[in-house]
Amino acid sequence: MRHARSGAGPFPHPDNRDAFMELLRQVVDDYYRWHTRCADAAAPALPDAGPDATPRVPAGTDDMKAVEDLVRELSGRLARASTPFPSPLYLAHMTPDVPVAASLAHLCTTLYNPNNVTPEASPVTTDIEHQVSDDLCRLVGHPPGTGWAHLSSGGHAANYEALWIARNLRSIPPAVAAHPAARDLVAGVSPIVLANMPVGRVLDLVEALAGRGLLAEVGRLAAARRREANTAGTLLLARSAHYAWDKCADLLGLGPSDVEPIGLTEAHRLDVVALGRRVRALLERGQPVLAVVAMCGSSGEGAVDDLDAILRLRDDCERRLGASFHVHVDAAFGGYYRSLWLRADGAMASYDERPLPGSGAVMKPEVHAAFRALPRADSVTVDPHKSGHAPYPAGGLVLRDARAVSLVARESAYFGQGDGHRLPFGPHTLEGARPGAAAAAVWAAHRQIGLHAEGYGRLLGGCAATAQRLHERFSPSRPRVTGVTGATAGARPGIVSCFAPDLGILNLSVRSGEGGGSPVPGVTAGRHVLDSILAEAAAAPLTSLYVSGNTLTGRAGPGGGEQVLRLVAMKELGAGTLDTVEEVLRAAVARSLGTRGAAG
């Protein structure tokens, strides 16, 4: 089955292949000129660089025939068997098509192999990452210079670092109170506030300690007290939070009782009322709250938590108790969607004046409110390699207050610490070695597409519109239609959307109908349908529909959650393609459950 393709736009297309090849030739020519210049310029000064000098290299490494064979084998395997992400029928995961500029920037920079741990190893790409840092700050809503951002290998690393910072931050005030030369800084502070001091006040303490030359001493005391107490506080997050948070808690030494999942609403968002009850109970007892994690595009459902309400809860706690908590937002998938409302100057438009002509996406007011509130969060994870359409690896962490990195900073004994004007990345990030190619690719994608409503906003608005149109086709309120084989009467298997999508992810529930259930004992209907779709895709990878699975917590099903089909829209699809998606899904339900009808 063939699908019409629109114009090239920023992505690979037959119309821009020749230009791509010409640019690639120029990239290779520049690289070889640079390599030769580096080797030849120093040669006259070296005693062993004469014409008779023989470089000592491993046997066979200069055999270009062997190199050609290796690369052709690899390229052929990739071209034959790679997952078909560019296919309009690929709706399984968050891997996007990569813009031409980002691909070329990544390929170009990889040749030079810069390591953004220090400007000494990456003068060009460190400067580029500083520009990307400013981009991500503006995307989230922070003025560059006040906030700070950096790239990481992905959302896992960014989330780990955010919680590492939150843990260290929470332990500073009690350590200040215990230090004889610093305790005057917290004189008169109640135990309740000492256990959960507002983030800004803690960072003011950190700045005061640095001014007295006491930051290192108090930091060591805080670390010792963390080990003695054997807990950093309570981590509160939605039941639907990414599995990375379990890993993160384990790495930081949090036990099962230190991590409290909060229930969900029918829209699969964190229940802020339940969160409020639990947070107030902890704060009033003076028990440390390590952090509250909100989702802005949960990985399974694309759900956007009510961040505005969470932050208003924090404001209320500060007014009533003087106590507060760190708010981290996991926007690994959803962060770039804020561009739907961003003007070219970076200002965020109101919901009613959203400047997004042409996408057809109708975004929910509460989703806009969450993105409007994003600048008030203390830390935000945003992954360019998801909705930013950058190649892997390119995660990112954005901090509201750049001073927070001092809580995890470490100096190196063997490389410089930067130019004194911008924070160096290596000493202030969880990961040391960091590929400069990733920074170059993100930088190029941002500049080719644009971090505003007419750029990423138009692109992601199309993704949201695709999810919304699929939801309408599978809506529970949609009138029953004839099944793909003509059955119309009686309870029969079907497929329905679980809830209206917030962003570009749709969850579909498989209903087995009369006397139904999966024909395979021990396998749910949703899982059986998914297995059928994946088997078909394995047999015909370039022409088949790809979807993924998800387990919705809080919904009836084995193990406490319903197994559903998950569709991730990373591109806008036309009506004809949507017809095909609907037809394939309904046919898969009918085929998998051994019935004649598949109407939703």
Side-chain angles (χ1 to χ4, degrees):
M1 182 176 298
R2 297 183 62 83
H3 299 269
R5 301 185 68 183
S6 59
F11 298 103
H13 187 276
D15 291 349
N16 58 37
R17 180 182 184 278
D18 290 345
F20 187 99
M21 290 299 298
E22 182 57 38
L23 285 167
L24 197 56
R25 278 191 289 270
Q26 181 178 330
V27 163
V28 173
D29 285 346
D30 287 346
Y31 170 71
Y32 267 85
R33 278 195 293 270
W34 169 81
H35 198 281
T36 301
R37 191 165 64 248
C38 290
D40 290 353
L46 301 176
D48 58 351
D52 297 329
T54 302
R56 296 184 179 182
V57 296
T61 56
D62 59 345
D63 181 355
M64 282 307 296
K65 177 61 170 62
V67 173
E68 290 172 10
D69 290 343
L70 285 170
V71 174
R72 287 196 173 105
E73 177 189 352
L74 173 61
S75 181
R77 289 177 63 187
L78 290 167
R80 288 190 302 273
S82 287
T83 304
F85 300 124
S87 167
L89 293 178
Y90 188 85
L91 296 168
H93 295 293
M94 296 174 178
T95 304
D97 210 357
V98 177
V100 169
S103 293
L104 285 168
H106 197 275
L107 288 166
C108 171
T109 311
T110 296
L111 294 172
Y112 297 85
N113 197 30
N115 177 2
N116 276 22
V117 69
T118 172
E120 295 171 22
S122 53
V124 175
T125 53
T126 292
D127 178 66
I128 283 174
E129 187 168 353
H130 282 308
Q131 295 178 53
V132 170
S133 172
D134 291 346
D135 290 347
L136 293 177
C137 283
R138 293 188 190 99
L139 175 65
V140 168
H142 300 318
T146 301
W148 189 68
H150 67 82
L151 296 178
S152 65
S153 61
H156 273 63
N159 287 336
Y160 297 163
E161 186 174 323
L163 204 57
W164 182 27
I165 290 171
R167 183 201 67 173
N168 288 6
L169 181 143
R170 182 54 62 228
S171 65
I172 289 294
V176 171
H179 193 289
R183 62 170 57 109
D184 63 289
L185 293 172
V186 293
V189 175
S190 72
I192 286 178
V193 176
L194 207 61
N196 288 294
M197 187 175 285
V199 171
R201 286 185 62 185
V202 179
L203 294 176
D204 289 342
L205 275 181
V206 168
E207 195 168 2
L209 291 169
R212 295 186 182 188
L214 296 174
L215 183 57
E217 284 184 32
V218 172
R220 286 191 292 271
L221 179 58
R225 291 173 63 86
R226 286 196 302 268
R227 287 190 292 271
E228 293 166 6
N230 202 32
T231 182
T234 302
L235 175 65
L236 298 150
L237 69 175
R239 288 189 184 278
S240 58
H242 195 274
Y243 69 93
W245 289 103
D246 288 335
K247 295 182 181 180
C248 181
D250 189 36
L251 279 169
L252 290 175
L254 301 181
S257 62
D258 299 321
V259 181
E260 294 192 15
I262 303 297
L264 305 170
T265 67
E266 289 185 3
H268 230 73
R269 299 172 182 153
L270 183 146
D271 184 339
V272 181
V273 174
L275 173 69
R277 286 195 297 266
R278 189 64 187 127
V279 162
R280 289 187 179 98
L282 290 167
L283 296 184
E284 287 169 357
R285 293 201 299 265
Q287 292 181 273
V289 174
L290 174 56
V292 169
V293 176
M295 307 302 295
C296 192
S298 57
S299 297
E301 306 78 25
V304 177
D305 289 337
D306 191 346
L307 179 60
D308 185 56
I310 293 170
L311 290 164
R312 283 188 278 109
L313 166 65
R314 183 170 71 172
D315 293 343
D316 179 67
C317 291
E318 290 181 8
R319 282 193 302 269
R320 290 177 53 245
L321 303 170
S324 187
F325 49 89
H326 184 109
V327 174
H328 175 73
V329 180
D330 187 344
F333 173 68
Y336 276 84
Y337 274 83
R338 193 171 188 267
S339 61
L340 268 73
W341 292 278
L342 292 185
R343 300 192 185 92
D345 64 0
M348 187 172 180
S350 70
Y351 178 76
D352 293 332
E353 61 178 335
R354 176 172 54 92
L356 188 66
S359 82
V362 180
M363 305 303 290
K364 301 173 184 176
E366 61 268 31
V367 171
H368 174 270
F371 282 114
R372 185 185 59 212
L374 203 57
R376 291 153 52 204
D378 298 301
S379 52
V380 181
T381 292
V382 181
D383 280 1
H385 63 212
K386 291 188 175 74
S387 298
H389 286 255
Y392 291 97
L397 178 66
V398 187
L399 298 172
R400 182 186 185 191
D401 191 325
R403 296 178 298 172
V405 297
S406 64
L407 297 165
V408 295
R410 301 290 187 276
E411 290 192 1
S412 169
Y414 60 90
F415 61 72
Q417 304 301 306
D419 60 8
H421 300 294
R422 300 293 302 258
L423 281 173
F425 293 110
H428 293 90
T429 58
L430 175 64
E431 297 165 298
R434 303 160 65 259
V442 176
W443 172 84
H446 286 180
R447 275 139 193 81
Q448 185 182 10
I449 297 174
L451 286 166
H452 48 71
E454 294 295 333
Y456 277 103
R458 182 180 291 273
L459 180 65
L460 298 175
C463 298
T466 294
Q468 291 167 13
R469 289 163 187 156
L470 284 168
H471 167 73
E472 291 167 5
R473 289 169 179 258
F474 295 106
S475 171
S477 61
R478 187 186 187 194
R480 284 197 165 201
V481 297
T482 301
V484 292
T485 56
T488 58
R492 59 195 184 279
I495 183 167
V496 298
S497 177
C498 298
F499 38 78
D502 285 347
L503 301 177
I505 297 178
L506 188 72
N507 280 226
L508 299 175
S509 174
V510 176
R511 297 180 177 177
S512 54
E514 281 182 348
S518 170
V520 179
V523 178
T524 64
R527 181 72 240 183
H528 192 58
V529 172
L530 176 62
D531 288 345
S532 172
I533 293 171
L534 294 179
E536 193 171 82
L542 296 183
T543 56
S544 296
L545 175 69
Y546 287 76
V547 302
S548 53
N550 186 32
T551 301
L552 290 181
T553 57
R555 292 172 67 102
E562 180 188 359
Q563 295 184 22
V564 299
L565 304 181
R566 169 178 171 267
L567 281 63
V568 183
M570 298 300 290
K571 57 185 75 68
E572 184 170 10
L573 302 182
T577 303
L578 294 177
D579 288 343
T580 300
V581 172
E582 181 179 4
E583 177 185 345
V584 171
L585 287 171
R586 294 194 186 282
V589 173
R591 179 179 65 250
S592 301
L593 302 184
T595 60
R596 297 184 64 246

